[in-house]
């Protein structure tokens, strides 16, 4: 199993020198129902910055991880005061510190996280492991979820499962399809889903798109959040043993 993490965190406005060096990217207009909701920028060092319509900046990065432990600590936005973690494991902290990007939320030490796992057969991955991926949990974290909430799609007979974390500011996509991962998920949807998720969390469950997949994801995320309405007929639920 190959694990990718895509992380996103609100930050204070970058230094003007950094802003002047940015290369603007084109986000697909049809994916959003509001014009110029997000502006995307790339850096020569391959990190990304986003700015929303309220001039809030976000730092973003993509990592390939080889363990749940590294998935967990790779989304940290601050160094944990309770444990000495090697720099290479705090991959997002390293990027934030290197660029002098200051996270906005001093009361929460984790970035939003989209975990993507490429697998041979989805059924070979236990429900407990799928839940840990959705929560971006480490091996030693307790299993707090009582059920798995997900939706599925197929491409050329290969399944992809989209799983919501339980108020963990994270979610997962587990896919059997290399084509889906390489041609759709990695270059485009990984980031779009994170932007939708960020907007969803900040706007009481609203999804800024009229497209079917974002709206299905919004309904899925709402199913594991407190006090948000959702259509249970559009998700699948499996109890965890």
């Amino acid at each position: 199993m190959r694990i990718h993490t895509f992380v996103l965190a609100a930050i204070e406005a970058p230094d003007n020198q950094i802003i002047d060096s940015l290369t603007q990217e084109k986000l697909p207009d049809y994916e959003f129902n509001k014009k110029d909701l997000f502006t995307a920028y790339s850096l020569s060092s391959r990190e990304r910055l986003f700015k929303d319509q309220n001039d809030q900046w976000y730092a973003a990065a993509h990592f390939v991880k080889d363990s749940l432990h590294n998935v967990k600590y790779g989304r940290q936005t601050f160094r944990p005061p309770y444990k000495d973690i090697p720099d290479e494991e705090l991959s997002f902290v390293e990027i934030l510190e290197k660029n002098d990007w200051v996270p906005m939320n001093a009361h929460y030490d984790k970035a939003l996280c989209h975990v993507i796992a490429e697998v041979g057969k989805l059924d070979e991955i236990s429900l407990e492991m799928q839940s840990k991926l959705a929560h971006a949990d480490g091996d030693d974290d307790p299993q707090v979820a009582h059920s798995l909430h997900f939706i599925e799609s197929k491409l050329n007979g290969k399944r992809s499962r989209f799983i919501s974390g339980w108020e963990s500011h994270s979610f997962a996509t587990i896919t059997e399809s290399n084509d889906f991962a390489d041609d759709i998920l990695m270059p485009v949807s990984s980031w779009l889903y994170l932007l939708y998720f960020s907007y969803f969390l900040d706007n009481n469950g609203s999804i800024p798109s009229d497209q079917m997949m974002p709206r299905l994801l919004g309904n899925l995320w709402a199913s594991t959040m407190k006090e948000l309405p959702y259509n249970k007929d559009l998700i699948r639920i499996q109890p965890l043993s």
Side-chain angles (χ1 to χ4, degrees):
M1 179 170 59
R2 193 178 188 200
I3 306 172
H4 302 258
T5 58
F6 293 81
V7 295
L8 177 83
I11 59 170
E12 295 179 3
D15 183 88
N16 286 334
Q17 186 175 356
I18 290 180
I19 294 175
D20 291 341
S21 69
L22 296 175
T23 300
Q24 187 170 337
E25 297 182 11
K26 180 66 175 175
L27 290 173
D29 291 334
Y30 64 86
E31 295 287 2
F32 297 96
N33 58 17
K34 298 181 180 180
K35 185 175 175 58
D36 299 325
L37 186 61
F38 290 99
T39 306
Y41 302 92
S42 60
L43 285 75
S44 57
S45 52
R46 299 184 66 183
E47 292 91 35
R48 285 185 171 180
L49 287 171
F50 296 94
K51 185 175 69 170
D52 69 17
Q53 60 181 0
N54 299 315
D55 290 332
Q56 172 62 60
W57 287 85
Y58 302 85
H62 165 220
F63 308 105
V64 179
K65 299 297 183 180
D66 59 5
S67 69
L68 291 175
H69 174 88
N70 288 334
V71 167
K72 173 181 178 177
Y73 287 108
R75 67 182 293 212
Q76 289 283 141
T77 54
F78 300 101
R79 295 181 180 275
Y82 53 85
K83 195 171 185 180
D84 185 22
I85 306 296
D87 286 348
E88 61 269 19
E89 296 180 24
L90 297 171
S91 47
F92 195 44
V93 171
E94 286 283 283
I95 285 174
L96 294 171
E97 292 179 349
K98 178 187 70 175
N99 290 288
D100 294 323
W101 294 336
V102 180
M104 292 289 292
N105 190 351
H107 306 291
Y108 191 70
D109 63 350
K110 295 175 179 61
L112 304 187
C113 186
H114 180 189
V115 177
I116 296 177
E118 297 179 77
V119 302
K121 290 291 183 183
L122 216 159
D123 291 335
E124 295 175 355
I125 309 301
S126 70
L127 295 183
E128 289 75 16
M129 172 62 81
Q130 292 180 42
S131 179
K132 282 188 173 292
L133 290 170
H135 291 87
D137 277 341
D139 297 286
D140 56 348
D141 286 313
Q143 181 65 261
V144 297
H146 57 77
S147 60
L148 200 72
H149 286 209
F150 64 94
I151 57 177
E152 285 190 4
S153 67
K154 275 188 178 182
L155 179 65
N156 298 326
K158 301 285 188 178
R159 287 190 294 164
S160 295
R161 178 172 289 184
F162 307 86
I163 309 168
S164 180
W166 286 80
E167 302 196 26
S168 58
H169 290 197
S170 63
F171 59 99
T173 302
I174 305 176
T175 183
E176 301 171 341
S177 173
N178 292 331
D179 290 340
F180 179 57
D182 295 341
D183 299 336
I184 300 174
L185 266 178
M186 301 300 177
V188 180
S189 295
S190 53
W191 299 113
L192 281 176
Y193 294 172
L194 262 182
L195 294 176
Y196 295 142
F197 190 51
S198 175
Y199 190 93
F200 170 92
L201 293 175
D202 291 340
N203 292 274
N204 199 35
S206 177
I207 292 291
S209 176
D210 296 324
Q211 301 293 325
M212 181 180 68
M213 189 61 192
R215 304 201 72 79
L216 287 173
L217 286 171
N219 185 69
L220 173 66
W221 297 330
S223 75
T224 54
M225 302 288 284
K226 289 181 180 177
E227 300 176 355
L228 286 180
Y230 69 96
N231 185 344
K232 65 180 181 181
D233 293 330
L234 297 178
I235 65 170
R236 295 172 64 183
I237 299 175
Q238 281 192 244
L240 295 176
S241 58

